[in-house]
Amino acid sequence: MKFAKRLDTVPPYLFVEISRKIAAKKAQGIKVISFGIGDPDIPTPGPVIEQLRATALDSINHRYPETDGLPEFRVAVSDWYKKRFNVVLDSDKEILPLIGAKEGIGHASFCFINPGDIALVPDPGYPVYSVGTWFAGGECHWMPLKEKNAWLPDLDSIPSDVLKKSKVMWLNYPNNPTGAVVDVGYFKEVVEFAKQHSIAILHDACYTEVAYDGYKPISFLEIPGAIDVGIEFHSLSKSYNMTGWRVGVAAGNRDMIDALMVVKSNLDSGIPNAVQYMGIEALKSTDEEIRTRNDIYQSRRDKVIEALEKIGLDVDPPKASLYVWAKIPEGYTSAEFAELILEEADVVVTAGNGYGPSGEGYIRLSLTISEEDLNEGIKRLQELNIPNKN
Ligand SMILES: Cc1ncc(COP(=O)(O)O)c(C=O)c1O
């Protein structure tokens, strides 16, 4: 059988490889502790599940949903944007529900990228930005995220010949995998830059509701002029512990939302209505409920950082996101170090280079792990003997 060349353009999805390794260990009777994927272990809130139960029984919800979602869900999203970011959006024209943010992010490239076009992609970054670009026949220009630049792309270093062919710039704050956050000043520069070079901004804001120490992440759409140049992706996955239900949204520039709707309406038939009713309920969560959940992650963050520092790793505590991004000891590659931890401690961490070449020298640990496994994982890490390679 002959498959399309585009399948050869992408590396195997990072977590598929990791799952295989865990399965192999399990088959040997070993309990592996995983700090791998960012998939909340905390259940979906009870009232949200209650909505599923109630709306699943109504046969009107057994039929095809609309691609552009239930009007009530879009209104709930626009109300949330107003309450959370003081951003006013037209729920009919500036909001599009997604089958999880990953779906919208993957499809977005089909709206902008012709073969040979360039997408500006953060490195390290969530792999779907580059994969979507390649599937659409485009090329990626990596924008390295460096600690010395506070993990923000250096806009001035993008060569002018690259800019001429660039159609979109992907950004993601709070950031996966580095845990970095962004301020209004940087986003203002991005808006100017986008206007100057006619580049669409695609901001992935999936982690705005997971934050620590009282910090409140911002939306790109808060910036004056942002809606002229970009859209933002949100996910209910991490915000409300709903990864299994598959619901997210794109919000912002109406022409861009229209374009995404053209792609989506030809390829999918929307989110099950019952799941959208769950989304409406989730968006009613109070600040207090979100804070209580984030306190759990914050205490895990602190425990993980303490353990990593004890074994000699250098960590900057993240203000947001579900991840701890740690610099590994000199002399190891990320893959070697992750392999050492897996082989010697039966603990999974993600090698930083899996998120792009600039992730080399780092590992990522996800905080979506039960207290029991977290404590066991930390114990194993602290007992680990890390040979000095220098
Ligand atoms: C940066 C980023 N964007 C998007 C997603 C996907 O979110 P969803 O579950 O809504 O598809 C993830 C999931 O890990 C992510 O880390």
Side-chain angles (χ1 to χ4, degrees):
M1 211 172 289
K2 283 190 180 147
F3 293 102
K5 286 204 186 78
R6 72 173 60 82
L7 294 191
D8 301 331
T9 61
V10 299
Y13 197 68
L14 188 58
F15 289 104
V16 174
E17 289 289 290
I18 293 173
S19 301
R20 275 199 203 118
K21 286 186 179 166
I22 297 178
K25 286 259 178 193
K26 268 194 193 149
Q28 297 166 39
I30 298 167
K31 169 148 168 84
V32 175
I33 303 290
S34 179
F35 290 94
I37 199 163
D39 186 359
D41 58 304
I42 306 168
T44 306
V48 176
I49 298 292
E50 207 36 65
Q51 271 303 308
L52 173 68
R53 199 200 307 273
T55 54
L57 294 175
D58 187 344
S59 65
I60 197 149
N61 296 322
H62 300 177
R63 311 189 69 187
Y64 280 126
E66 297 290 345
T67 304
D68 61 353
L70 290 168
E72 304 90 301
F73 179 54
R74 294 196 310 269
V75 168
V77 173
S78 73
D79 289 348
W80 179 79
Y81 252 97
K82 175 78 183 88
K83 183 174 82 153
R84 174 66 178 83
F85 301 114
N86 201 22
V87 168
V88 176
L89 293 171
D90 180 328
S91 66
D92 285 334
K93 299 195 170 77
E94 293 169 338
I95 289 172
L96 182 60
L98 303 171
I99 312 169
K102 184 177 185 180
E103 175 265 303
I105 291 169
H107 282 147
S109 292
F110 290 111
C111 304
F112 297 99
I113 301 292
N114 288 316
D117 287 344
I118 292 181
L120 302 169
V121 177
D123 156 36
Y126 180 57
V128 187
Y129 316 135
S130 49
V131 170
T133 307
W134 291 323
F135 277 174
E139 289 163 29
C140 296
H141 174 82
W142 301 121
M143 301 186 293
L145 307 185
K146 303 267 184 209
E147 189 175 4
K148 67 174 172 28
N149 295 329
W151 309 104
L152 300 167
D154 175 4
L155 302 180
D156 295 333
S157 72
I158 304 170
S160 58
D161 57 323
V162 169
L163 284 174
K164 281 194 196 110
K165 288 164 85 185
S166 298
K167 291 288 179 62
V168 299
M169 177 189 283
W170 286 98
L171 292 171
N172 164 223
Y173 294 98
N175 185 258
N176 175 15
T178 67
V181 296
V182 67
D183 62 13
V184 170
Y186 185 80
F187 269 165
K188 281 186 175 163
E189 282 176 40
V190 169
V191 170
E192 281 317 303
F193 190 84
K195 286 187 176 163
Q196 194 183 341
H197 300 287
S198 296
I199 291 173
I201 303 300
L202 301 168
H203 180 235
D204 179 352
C206 285
Y207 294 97
T208 56
E209 304 318 293
V210 183
Y212 312 119
D213 308 316
Y215 175 74
K216 277 255 173 196
I218 58 172
S219 158
F220 179 63
L221 300 177
E222 286 177 44
I223 311 306
I227 200 160
D228 301 332
V229 295
I231 53 172
E232 182 159 88
F233 295 90
H234 273 281
S235 167
L236 279 74
S237 290
K238 324 286 166 149
S239 299
Y240 307 107
N241 317 330
M242 289 178 71
T243 42
W245 305 109
R246 313 309 304 133
V247 52
V249 291
N253 184 280
R254 53 184 72 192
D255 295 335
M256 292 168 68
I257 292 288
D258 255 359
L260 192 52
M261 175 65 185
V262 170
V263 172
K264 278 176 57 59
S265 56
N266 281 287
L267 292 177
D268 71 61
S269 299
I271 311 162
N273 286 346
V275 174
Q276 295 183 64
Y277 285 115
M278 294 171 80
I280 294 172
E281 189 62 34
L283 290 167
K284 290 184 198 154
S285 303
T286 63
D287 289 354
E288 186 51 36
E289 284 162 338
I290 299 285
R291 201 173 315 119
T292 305
R293 191 273 318 272
N294 286 346
D295 284 349
I296 298 174
Y297 290 138
Q298 186 171 319
S299 111
R300 295 177 184 177
R301 175 199 70 170
D302 295 343
K303 281 189 192 174
V304 166
I305 291 176
E306 196 188 330
L308 293 175
E309 284 178 342
K310 272 195 191 142
I311 61 169
L313 272 64
D314 191 9
V315 191
D316 200 9
K319 281 197 191 138
S321 88
L322 288 171
Y323 309 110
V324 170
W325 185 240
K327 199 166 169 53
I328 59 173
E330 296 283 331
Y332 286 93
T333 65
S334 298
E336 280 167 359
F337 198 72
E339 195 69 24
L340 174 88
I341 294 180
L342 181 61
E343 288 314 320
E344 300 297 321
D346 298 315
V347 169
V348 171
V349 299
T350 320
N353 64 324
Y355 299 92
S358 298
E360 184 52 74
Y362 292 84
I363 52 169
R364 191 197 80 166
L365 288 88
S366 166
L367 301 172
T368 54
I369 172 169
S370 71
E371 305 308 308
E372 193 191 337
D373 281 3
L374 180 98
N375 291 335
E376 173 63 21
I378 282 175
K379 186 169 147 281
R380 292 187 194 176
L381 286 176
Q382 286 177 342
E383 283 166 3
L384 192 63
N385 178 22
I386 300 171
N388 190 340
K389 285 239 199 167
N390 276 326

